[in-house]
Each structure stands twice: as structure tokens, then as C-alpha cells.
């Protein structure tokens, strides 16, 4: 019964089978609609060719990127393909540039360089659409070509960066690294870039590895990184707190551990513009960055390499909040150099810029320890330090602060000025000292006379004390000379006899 029922059902496969057999026997171009689409040209099927292309594409491109896109030969030019295929070709070329090229193979190097230039030109045209597969492929290509570990620093006199006497070291692979950086800059700056999609790939891990590249010894690379990080900070607002924290960690490691880093000046240059954009009132996080990162940066010996950028950052903070001036000056006094005269000159120039922005209330909080330090600089045997300290009186704002607080400042500074007029070896410093003394007399001559009388009394007391010490030592030496020499020693004690015979 069951067999009879099944035999009466219609059979649909016979017709399709006949069509398939007829299509395979014909020698002309015959489209066939059966179980699937198949096209034959001159007796040869395209199925095998499509399978080959599929195998090639799966070997070169990740399945997640090539999914849903037609595979395109990466060596083709963008002019040789249609507009719908350009996106696939763009991804194909990005993945081709992920391959490592040995430096001993100039042919492959030139091919990779030409491919990178072609990618930059395509992005510059403004027709590229940065979909998620394209963003993923581009970030992967940049990571493969840029992120690397630098060799150990072998310079014996290395102190945290390039000094004026050292020639910068250039990376031999810069010819194609520069093109990769150019492509990354154009990607970050692309106007129609979807930030919500891009931030999935330009993530915290990508930013940390990008920051690690600031330790490169090639100044050209650090300059490109400076541009890229600044644009990432401006465009990816969600990453701003993380970038500030990551840069703080780099500074902490440099100040308190290694004192070796090539990119501190570039990082500070970026943060100079970042600080100028801080909203008011300043957040506590920003003030902590000033206290824990910027002020301790005055400590390393290599501060001269980045001092100009550091001063700009500090001044920007004071411009935002003038109440921070006293905090900055206390930090300068804490890390003030004692034996490094060149560093002391830099501190004096920075101190003048800070004092120009200091209010009267903040100045009165720190004027006593500040002018105790300036007093030491006035008496410095290094004539440049002494000259720079005297030149503070040429600043009108600082002179106004001194004039309003002369009752406290004159007694602190006047002994140093008198000592210079009597003992300093340099004529230029001596002339500057006389000018400062004349300025004091013009401000308040009575106070200067009072300070002079007080100084004379102190000199008399110190002379009397010195004479008293001299007489005391003479009496001690006389008393020591009267006693016989033998009385100064104890008589030797004979050891007890040993009862045991050895």
C-alpha cells in the first residue's frame, strides 16, 4: 500500500537532471538554472576558477574581513577596478601590507612602498568609506608595521634624551614608516569617520602601544606621533582621561625610576595645548597632574631638553588658576639645584615667568623662603647665576611686588648686596649690585639705612664672637701645652699571670 502511494507522487528531479546533462553536452554559452547557477564558456567551467580565487582570498585575508565582500587581487590598481570593487581592493591592499618584508629583498620593499603610497593617495581622494572591516584592517596594518620594541640604549652619556652635543639617530626603515604614519594621520583626520566604530579598534591597547613609540630615537618619528596623538585626543573624547593617565605613568617612570626617555618634550608639547583647553574651575585630577607629574619633572638632570615645554605647561596652569602660583614656586624651591649652575639658570628664568603671573596674596605666602634662595643666587660665585638673579629687579611686576613688601624683603636681601659690593670678583655683577642698591635707596632710603645699621651691629657681634672663640682656643692650647706629655697617658696595666702552664 505504501509503495503504491509513493509511486503515484510526481518526480521533479528527472527534469532537472535532463537539463543538467543537456547543458554539459552543449558547446555553446548556455545558462543553466537547476540546483545552482553555472556558466560555461567555450566548454570550460568558471566554477573551478571561482574556487581558486576563494582559496587565495581566504589565505590572504581574514574571513571576518572578507565576509560579504568580493575578493579582489591586491596588486591591481584602483583605476583598474570598478567603484563597487574599490572598497574590497582597499582592504586587500591593507592586508597585503601586513606581510613582513626582509630588508635584503629590495623588490618586495619597493612593491610594499608603492602599495602604501597608493593607499595614501586613495584615502586623500576622499572617496573611501571607512566601514568596520576597513577600519579593522587599517589598524591591524598600522600595528604590524609601527608597533615594535626598540633596541637597548647603548649611549654611555645618555641622560634621558638627545643633548645638544649628540647627533640624532635616524631609523633606516623610515622610508616606509613615514608613509604608514601619513596614512594613519589621514585616517584619524578623516571628516566622515564614524568615531563610535573607530573607537572599537583605536582602543586603550592601541593608544598605549602608540605612546610607547615616543621613546624612539628618531626625531622624525616622534614628530609624527605628536601629531597623531594630538588628533586622537581631540577626536576621541572618550579616550581623553585614559590618555592623560597613560602619559602621567610615563612621566612617573621617567622621574622616579629610569630618567631615560626620548619623547618627554613632545609629550609636554601636546599637553601644553591640552592644558590651555581645560575648563574652569580646574578639576582635582588636573591639579594632581601638576603636583605629581609636572613639578617633579624639574628633578632629572636632563631637564634642559624639555624645560621650555615644561615651563609653558606650568604657566598655562597658573593662567587658568592664579592660586597655583605659590604651589609651583614651592615646588621649584624644593627641587632647586645646588651644584648645577646651568640648571639654576633655567630655574631662575622659569621663576621670573611664574612671578609675572603671581598675585600679591600668593606672593606674600612664599616671599620669605623665595628670597632666601634668591639671596644665595645673588652671592653665587658663578657670574651668570649672579647676573640672572640681579636681573629680576628689571621686571616691573616683580619690582612692584618687592616694593609693597620691602619691610620683609630688604632685611633678607641687603646683607647679600653688601657682601657683593665688597667681595665679588666679577665686575659686571658688581655693577648690577650697585644698581640694585640704588633701586633700594630710591624706594625707601630710611629702610636701607636701618638695614645697614643692623648689618653693622651684626658684623660687630659676629666679630666679637669670633674674637671670643679665638681667645678660648688659645687658652685651651696653652693649658694643653703646660701639662707634661706623660700625664696625658695612662700607665700600662700588666696582665695577670696565667695560672695554667702552656
Amino acid at each position: 500500500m505504501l509503495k503504491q502511494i509513493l509511486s503515484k507522487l510526481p518526480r521533479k528531479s528527472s527534469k532537472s537532471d535532463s537539463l543538467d546533462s543537456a547543458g554539459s553536452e552543449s558547446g555553446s554559452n548556455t545558462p543553466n538554472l537547476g540546483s545552482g547557477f553555472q556558466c560555461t564558456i567555450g566548454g570550460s567551467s568558471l566554477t573551478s576558477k571561482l574556487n581558486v580565487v576563494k582559496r587565495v582570498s581566504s589565505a590572504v585575508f581574514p574571513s571576518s574581513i572578507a565576509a560579504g565582500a568580493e575578493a579582489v587581487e591586491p596588486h591591481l590598481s584602483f583605476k583598474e577596478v570598478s567603484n563597487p570593487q574599490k572598497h574590497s581592493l582597499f582592504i586587500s591592499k591593507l592586508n597585503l601590507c601586513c606581510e613582513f618584508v626582509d630588508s635584503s629583498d629590495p623588490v618586495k620593499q619597493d612593491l610594499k612602498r608603492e602599495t602604501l603610497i597608493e593607499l595614501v593617495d586613495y584615502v586623500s581622494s576622499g572617496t573611501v568609506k571607512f566601514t568596520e572591516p576597513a577600519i579593522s584592517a587599517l589598524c591591524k596594518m598600522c600595528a604590524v608595521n609601527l608597533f615594535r620594541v626598540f633596541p637597548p640604549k647603548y649611549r654611555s652619556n645618555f641622560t634621558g634624551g638627545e643633548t645638544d652635543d649628540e647627533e640624532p639617530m635616524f631609523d633606516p626603515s623610515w622610508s616606509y614608516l613615514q608613509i604608514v604614519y601619513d596614512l594613519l594621520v589621514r585616517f584619524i583626520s578623516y571628516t566622515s569617520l564614524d568615531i563610535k566604530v573607530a573607537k572599537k579598534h583605536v582602543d586603550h591597547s592601541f593608544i598605549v602601544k602608540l605612546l610607547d613609540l615616543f621613546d624612539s630615537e628618531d626625531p622624525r618619528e616622534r614628530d609624527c606621533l605628536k601629531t597623531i596623538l594630538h588628533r586622537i585626543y581631540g577626536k576621541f573624547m572618550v579616550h581623553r582621561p585614559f590618555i592623560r593617565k597613560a602619559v602621567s605613568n610615563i612621566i612617573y617612570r621617567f622621574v622616579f625610576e629610569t630618567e631615560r626617555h626620548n619623547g618627554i618634550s613632545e609629550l609636554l608639547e601636546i599637553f601644553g595645548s591640552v592644558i590651555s583647553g581645560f575648563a574652569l574651575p580646574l578639576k582635582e585630577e588636573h591639579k594632581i597632574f601638576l603636583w605629581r607629574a609636572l613639578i617633579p619633572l624639574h628633578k632629572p638632570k636632563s631637564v634642559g631638553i624639555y624645560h621650555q615645554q615644561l615651563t609653558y605647561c606650568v604657566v598655562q596652569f597658573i593662567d587658568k588658576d592664579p592660586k597655583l602660583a605659590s604651589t609651583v614656586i614651592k615646588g621649584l624651591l624644593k627641587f632647586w639645584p645646588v651644584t648645577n649652575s646651568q640648571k639654576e639658570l633655567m630655574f631662575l628664568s622659569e621663576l621670573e615667568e611664574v612671578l609675572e603671573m603671581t598675585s600679591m596674596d600668593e606672593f606674600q605666602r612664599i616671599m620669605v623662603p623665595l628670597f632666601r634662595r634668591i639671596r644665595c643666587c645673588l652671592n653665587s660665585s658663578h657670574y651668570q647665576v649672579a647676573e640672572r638673579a640681579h636681573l629680576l629687579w628689571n621686571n616691573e611686576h616683580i619690582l612692584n611686588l618687592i616694593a609693597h613688601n620691602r619691610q620683609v624683603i630688604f632685611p633678607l636681601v641687603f646683607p647679600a648686596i653688601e657682601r657683593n659690593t665688597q667681595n665679588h670678583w666679577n665686575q659686571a655683577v658688581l655693577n648690577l649690585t650697585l644698581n640694585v642698591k640704588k633701586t633700594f635707596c630710591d624706594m625707601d632710603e630710611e629702610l636701607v639705612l636701618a638695614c645697614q645699621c643692623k648689618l653693622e651691629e651684626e658684623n660687630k657681634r659676629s666679630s666679637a664672637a669670633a674674637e671670643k672663640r679665638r681667645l678660648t682656643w688659645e687658652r685651651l692650647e696653652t693649658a694643653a701645652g703646660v701639662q707634661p706629655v706623660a700625664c696625658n697617658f695612662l700607665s700600662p696595666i700588666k696582665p695577670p699571670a696565667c695560672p695554667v702552664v702552656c
Side-chain angles (χ1 to χ4, degrees):
M1 180 68 70
L2 182 61
K3 291 181 179 180
Q4 293 176 358
I5 294 172
L6 293 175
S7 63
K8 293 180 180 180
L9 293 175
R11 295 181 63 188
K12 296 181 180 180
S13 60
S14 61
K15 189 174 181 179
S16 63
D17 292 342
S18 63
L19 288 172
D20 289 341
S21 61
S24 62
E25 291 173 358
S26 67
S28 60
N29 298 342
T30 305
N32 185 14
L33 296 174
S35 58
F37 174 81
Q38 187 176 9
C39 180
T40 58
I41 301 175
S44 61
S45 175
L46 289 178
T47 306
S48 59
K49 295 182 179 180
L50 292 174
N51 290 334
V52 171
V53 172
K54 187 179 293 184
R55 286 197 299 271
V56 172
S57 64
S58 63
V60 177
F61 317 114
S63 58
S64 61
I65 295 176
E70 183 184 355
V72 180
E73 174 63 34
H75 297 294
L76 295 176
S77 172
F78 283 104
K79 297 179 181 179
E80 298 175 359
V81 297
S82 61
N83 288 332
Q85 291 179 317
K86 287 184 178 180
H87 183 263
S88 300
L89 179 60
F90 178 67
I91 297 175
S92 302
K93 288 181 177 293
L94 286 172
N95 285 279
L96 179 66
C97 292
C98 291
E99 297 179 1
F100 174 76
V101 177
D102 193 357
S103 58
S104 61
D105 192 344
V107 177
K108 289 186 177 180
Q109 278 190 332
D110 293 340
L111 178 62
K112 183 174 182 178
R113 189 171 182 275
E114 291 173 2
T115 305
L116 288 169
I117 293 174
E118 197 173 358
L119 288 170
V120 171
D121 293 339
Y122 179 61
V123 174
S124 302
S125 66
T127 59
V128 62
K129 294 181 180 179
F130 279 110
T131 60
E132 185 164 1
I135 294 173
S136 176
L138 191 142
C139 291
K140 177 186 175 184
M141 188 275 295
C142 292
V144 170
N145 288 278
L146 298 179
F147 299 158
R148 61 203 188 278
V149 179
F150 296 112
K153 301 175 180 62
Y154 58 87
R155 294 181 179 178
S156 59
N157 58 343
F158 189 84
T159 56
E162 297 165 1
T163 62
D164 296 336
D165 299 332
E166 292 177 346
E167 295 182 359
M169 298 185 66
F170 298 108
D171 197 320
S173 58
W174 179 247
S175 58
Y176 80 88
L177 283 178
Q178 181 182 11
I179 307 173
V180 178
Y181 276 119
D182 191 13
L183 182 61
L184 183 57
V185 169
R186 295 177 187 276
F187 162 68
I188 298 296
S189 307
Y190 206 72
T191 54
S192 60
L193 180 65
D194 190 350
I195 302 300
K196 293 182 179 179
V197 177
K199 71 180 182 181
K200 298 178 183 178
H201 303 280
V202 184
D203 54 3
H204 291 178
S205 176
F206 187 91
I207 292 172
V208 167
K209 292 177 181 177
L210 198 69
L211 287 171
D212 289 340
L213 295 177
F214 273 91
D215 201 17
S216 170
E217 295 191 2
D218 194 329
R220 301 169 299 181
E221 183 171 12
R222 298 199 302 268
D223 193 59
C224 289
L225 288 166
K226 180 177 64 177
T227 304
I228 292 169
L229 183 63
H230 190 273
R231 296 189 181 181
I232 289 176
Y233 189 91
K235 206 160 191 176
F236 294 81
M237 297 183 66
V238 67
H239 290 330
R240 289 183 178 182
F242 178 79
I243 293 174
R244 291 195 297 266
K245 184 178 180 181
V247 172
S248 298
N249 291 334
I250 292 175
I251 294 175
Y252 297 153
R253 194 179 306 115
F254 168 70
V255 173
F256 301 109
E257 294 181 12
T258 62
E259 290 196 8
R260 293 187 176 188
H261 200 281
N262 291 302
I264 297 296
S265 59
E266 285 81 8
L267 291 173
L268 290 176
E269 190 172 345
I270 295 170
F271 265 75
S273 58
V274 168
I275 295 166
S276 64
F278 283 163
L280 295 177
L282 288 176
K283 296 180 181 179
E284 192 67 20
E285 171 201 348
H286 303 329
K287 295 180 182 179
I288 290 174
F289 178 74
L290 171 66
W291 300 330
R292 297 183 181 177
L294 293 184
I295 292 179
L297 273 174
H298 293 84
K299 178 184 177 182
K301 296 179 181 179
S302 57
V303 65
I305 300 170
Y306 54 83
H307 185 260
Q308 183 179 358
Q309 293 84 0
L310 177 60
T311 302
Y312 181 76
C313 291
V314 170
V315 169
Q316 288 297 311
F317 263 109
I318 299 174
D319 187 37
K320 289 288 182 180
D321 188 357
K323 293 182 179 179
L324 295 173
S326 59
T327 303
V328 170
I329 293 175
K330 287 178 183 178
L332 286 174
L333 296 176
K334 178 181 178 181
F335 297 106
W336 197 277
V338 178
T339 59
N340 191 334
S341 300
Q342 295 302 319
K343 192 174 176 181
E344 200 166 5
L345 288 170
M346 290 185 284
F347 273 53
L348 284 168
S349 62
E350 181 178 358
L351 179 64
E352 182 175 3
E353 291 191 40
V354 173
L355 286 174
E356 283 181 352
M357 308 180 68
T358 304
S359 63
M360 187 65 68
D361 294 337
E362 295 299 316
F363 178 77
Q364 289 174 351
R365 292 182 183 180
I366 44 84
M367 61 182 178
V368 174
L370 172 62
F371 276 87
R372 284 175 180 166
R373 173 53 61 186
I374 292 176
R375 178 179 63 189
C376 297
C377 295
L378 291 171
N379 288 140
S380 175
S381 58
H382 194 287
Y383 77 98
Q384 290 180 335
V385 174
E387 279 183 349
R388 191 66 186 83
H390 283 84
L391 291 176
L392 292 175
W393 271 260
N394 292 344
N395 190 296
E396 292 184 4
H397 182 72
I398 298 175
L399 193 62
N400 184 46
L401 294 174
I402 294 172
H404 282 81
N405 299 276
R406 58 183 179 272
Q407 298 292 337
V408 178
I409 296 175
F410 278 18
L412 290 173
V413 177
F414 191 79
I417 292 175
E418 285 296 313
R419 196 175 300 117
N420 272 0
T421 57
Q422 298 173 6
N423 301 323
H424 206 282
W425 64 272
N426 188 271
Q427 186 62 39
V429 175
L430 183 59
N431 294 336
L432 289 171
T433 302
L434 294 175
N435 291 337
V436 171
K437 186 176 180 180
K438 184 177 181 301
T439 304
F440 280 177
C441 293
D442 294 340
M443 282 185 188
D444 194 338
E445 189 173 0
E446 293 181 0
L447 182 57
V448 171
L449 292 174
C451 291
Q452 193 165 4
C453 293
K454 184 179 178 181
L455 180 61
E456 290 175 358
E457 292 177 1
E458 290 179 356
N459 290 337
K460 289 179 181 179
R461 285 198 297 268
S462 61
S463 299
E467 182 65 20
K468 185 178 180 180
R469 283 197 302 272
R470 189 184 66 80
L471 295 174
T472 302
W473 279 107
E474 285 183 357
R475 288 197 299 269
L476 288 173
E477 291 172 358
T478 304
V482 169
Q483 299 295 333
V485 178
C487 295
N488 293 335
F489 301 97
L490 295 174
S491 57
I493 300 175
K494 294 181 180 181
C498 182
V500 180
V501 178
C502 298

